[in-house]
C-alpha cells in the first residue's frame, strides 16, 4: 500500500469555496490505488493478463465489471453486449450484431476472443499503448480470484461493478439475480472482506446491503450532459437509477449516498471539486473518482485529498505517488 501524506498538509492553502477545513477529518485508511478494468491502458481490458499487469504494478485494488451468462456464470465484462470493437468470433471476425452476454451460455461466450482492439476503431486510437494478446477470452470472476490466490496476493482488493441498466432490463439478469450470483462467488472464494460492490444502478447496492451487509457499497455517479444518473434524484424526484430514492431538499449528494447506506462515493472525476471532497469526507463518505488518466488530473485530485483514484494507467499513478 502506498502511504498518503497527512491530510492537513494536502489541504492547507487550498481554496474550498464556502467549506472550511474545520470540516476536515483525518483519514484512517491508506490511499487506494485502483487499476481500472485491470490496467486498460496497457493490456486488454477486464482480462486476466490485464489484472496480472495491474498486480505487477502493485495496485491496491482491481476495478472490474461483471455480468451474468445465460447459465448464470459471473463473468468479467464492461459491456452487457459483446463489444464490437473487442470481440472476435471463432472465424476471427469482429462481431457486428448486438449480442447480449445474457443470451449466451458460458461455453458459447468462451469462443470469443477479446485480446485485441479492432485496429480501425477510435477505441484503438484512444488506447494505442495497449498491448494486444490474441486468444484471450472473457474470464469468469472465479478465475480471477483463483489467479490472485495462486499469486499469493492475499491483501489485494476487488472493486466489482454490477453492469446493468434500469432502462434496459432485457439485456441483463435482474438486479436481484445478478447480486445473488455475485455474492455466491465472493463467499465461495472467501474474499468478502476484500470486496466492494459498485454501481450506477443503485438497486444492486440496496440489494447487496440487505443480503451482505458486511460488504461495503460504492455509489457511482456521473453528472454530465449525455448521462446524469443522479440528476432527477437531486431534484427530489424518485429515479430508476437511484433505486427509487430521491434526495431531500438541500441534501448534498454525499449525504444522500450516506442515507442510502453507501460508504464510498465514486464520481466521474470532472464532476468533483475540493469542497465536495471535504464535505463528503467530513460525514464519513470516502471519495474515489474515476477514470483519471492524465498526470495533471492525478496531481490535482491528490492535492485535493481524494481517498483513492481509479486509473487505466495505474503505472503512471504509482510512479507519480512514489515521486511526490
Ligand atoms: O469504477 C467506476 C468506473 O469504472 C465507471 O466507469 O464505464 O469504465 O465502468 P466504466
Ligand atoms: Ca467499471
Amino acid at each position: 500500500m502506498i502511504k498518503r501524506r497527512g491530510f492537513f498538509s494536502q489541504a492547507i492553502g487550498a481554496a474550498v469555496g464556502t467549506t472550511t477545513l474545520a470540516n476536515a477529518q483525518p483519514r484512517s485508511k491508506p490511499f487506494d490505488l485502483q487499476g481500472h478494468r485491470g490496467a486498460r491502458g496497457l493490456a486488454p481490458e477486464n482480462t486476466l493478463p490485464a489484472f496480472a499487469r495491474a498486480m505487477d504494478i502493485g495496485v491496491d485494488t482491481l476495478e472490474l465489471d461483471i455480468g451474468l451468462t445465460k447459465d448464470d456464470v459471473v463473468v468479467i465484462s464492461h459491456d452487457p453486449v459483446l463489444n464490437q470493437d473487442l470481440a472476435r468470433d471463432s472465424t476471427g471476425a469482429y462481431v457486428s450484431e448486438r449480442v447480449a452476454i445474457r443470451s449466451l451460455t458460458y461455453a458459447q461466450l468462451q469462443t470469443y476472443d477479446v485480446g485485441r482492439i479492432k485496429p480501425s476503431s477510435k477505441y484503438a486510437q484512444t488506447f494505442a499503448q495497449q498491448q494486444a494478446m490474441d486468444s484471450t477470452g472473457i474470464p469468469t470472476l472465479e478465475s480471477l480470484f483463483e489467479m490472485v490466490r495462486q499469486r499469493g496476493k492475499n491483501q489485494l482488493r476487488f472493486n466489482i461493478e454490477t453492469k446493468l441498466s434500469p432502462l434496459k432490463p432485457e439485456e441483463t439478469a435482474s438486479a436481484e439475480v445478478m447480486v445473488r450470483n455475485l455474492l455466491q462467488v465472493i463467499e465461495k472464494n472467501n474474499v468478502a472482506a476484500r470486496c466492494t460492490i459498485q454501481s450506477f444502478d443503485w438497486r444492486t447496492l440496496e440489494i447487496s446491503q440487505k443480503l451482505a451487509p458486511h460488504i461495503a457499497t460504492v455509489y457511482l455517479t456521473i453528472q454530465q450532459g449525455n448521462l446524469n444518473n443522479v440528476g432527477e434524484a437531486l431534484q427530489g424526484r424518485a429515479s430508476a437509477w437511484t433505486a427509487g430514492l430521491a434526495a431531500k431538499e438541500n441534501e448534498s449528494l454525499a449525504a444522500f449516498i450516506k442515507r442510502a447506506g453507501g460508504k464510498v462515493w465514486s464520481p466521474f472525476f470532472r464532476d468533483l471539486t475540493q469542497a465536495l471532497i471535504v464535505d463528503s469526507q467530513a460525514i464519513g463518505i470516502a471519495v474515489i473518482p474515476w477514470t483519471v488518466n492524465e498526470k495533471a488530473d492525478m496531481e490535482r485530485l491528490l492535492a485535493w485529498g481524494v481517498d483513492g483514484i481509479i486509473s487505466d494507467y495505474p503505472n503512471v499513478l504509482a510512479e507519480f505517488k512514489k515521486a511526490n
Side-chain angles (χ1 to χ4, degrees):
M1 292 253 180
I2 291 170
K3 291 230 165 49
R4 65 165 71 245
R5 285 184 287 151
F7 177 77
F8 293 102
S9 67
Q10 292 177 46
I12 270 167
V16 288
T18 54
T19 305
T20 67
L21 291 178
N23 295 350
Q25 304 286 311
R27 272 163 270 140
S28 51
K29 286 193 174 171
F31 182 84
D32 189 4
L33 198 164
Q34 299 202 15
H36 187 238
R37 308 188 199 177
R40 171 169 61 162
L42 309 172
E45 67 171 67
N46 277 327
T47 64
L48 293 183
F51 296 121
R53 188 72 189 270
M55 280 188 262
D56 292 342
I57 289 164
V59 301
D60 303 304
T61 302
L62 299 174
E63 193 279 341
L64 60 119
D65 310 283
I66 62 114
L68 251 62
T69 62
K70 192 175 185 174
D71 44 352
D72 287 341
V73 178
V74 181
V75 292
I76 305 179
S77 169
H78 177 265
D79 305 279
V81 294
L82 291 175
N83 185 325
Q84 297 181 8
D85 288 340
L86 292 181
R88 280 175 289 166
D89 64 22
S90 53
T91 71
Y94 284 93
V95 297
S96 53
E97 305 287 322
R98 203 171 164 81
V99 183
I101 286 180
R102 185 64 171 160
S103 72
L104 302 172
T105 62
Y106 176 60
Q108 290 170 324
L109 187 67
Q110 271 187 307
T111 64
Y112 293 90
D113 182 344
V114 291
R116 178 181 294 269
I117 305 180
K118 189 177 190 175
S120 59
S121 66
K122 193 159 170 262
Y123 199 32
Q125 279 170 26
T126 307
F127 293 102
Q129 279 183 54
Q130 188 188 99
Q131 193 187 339
M133 293 177 197
D134 292 326
S135 307
T136 301
I138 293 177
T140 63
L141 180 60
E142 179 126 39
S143 69
L144 173 63
F145 291 149
E146 176 60 26
M147 182 176 81
V148 171
R149 194 161 41 239
Q150 277 179 10
R151 287 174 160 237
K153 297 275 188 189
N154 299 327
Q155 304 295 313
L156 189 67
R157 300 181 57 83
F158 307 92
N159 188 16
I160 304 172
E161 182 177 348
T162 53
K163 277 297 185 194
L164 73 174
S165 162
L167 311 180
K168 293 181 186 162
E170 70 289 350
E171 275 188 351
T172 64
S174 70
E176 171 107 20
V177 168
M178 189 177 285
V179 174
R180 282 190 183 279
N181 281 276
L182 171 59
L183 293 175
Q184 211 170 46
V185 179
I186 290 173
E187 297 299 346
K188 181 179 166 203
N189 286 273
N190 204 21
V191 288
R194 291 150 60 197
C195 287
T196 48
I197 296 181
Q198 48 165 346
S199 198
F200 290 102
D201 182 340
W202 294 9
R203 289 175 304 164
T204 47
L205 307 180
E206 191 173 81
I207 295 166
S208 174
Q209 285 165 16
K210 283 195 188 119
L211 297 176
H214 50 292
I215 297 180
T217 47
V218 178
Y219 283 65
L220 294 177
T221 62
I222 180 161
Q223 296 169 276
Q224 296 286 306
N226 56 344
L227 180 61
N228 186 343
N229 71 320
V230 289
E232 272 182 54
L234 288 177
Q235 287 171 10
R237 299 202 301 273
S239 155
W241 284 106
T242 55
L245 296 175
K248 295 178 181 166
E249 206 174 335
N250 295 324
E251 190 175 38
S252 70
L253 182 47
F256 180 34
I257 288 170
K258 183 171 182 174
R259 184 162 59 84
K263 298 279 186 256
V264 180
W265 172 32
S266 263
F268 175 50
F269 79 96
R270 292 192 196 282
D271 295 333
L272 263 185
T273 62
Q274 185 171 25
L276 290 172
I277 296 167
V278 172
D279 285 348
S280 182
Q281 290 167 340
I283 59 167
I285 298 294
V287 182
I288 303 184
W290 55 273
T291 298
V292 187
N293 291 342
E294 299 295 331
K295 263 192 198 160
D297 294 322
M298 291 174 186
E299 185 171 16
R300 185 182 71 256
L301 290 161
L302 286 166
W304 285 355
V306 289
D307 296 275
I309 288 180
I310 301 171
S311 178
D312 288 314
Y313 298 93
N315 54 328
V316 174
L317 182 55
E319 277 160 30
F320 186 81
K321 285 283 295 169
K322 213 187 294 169
N324 290 275

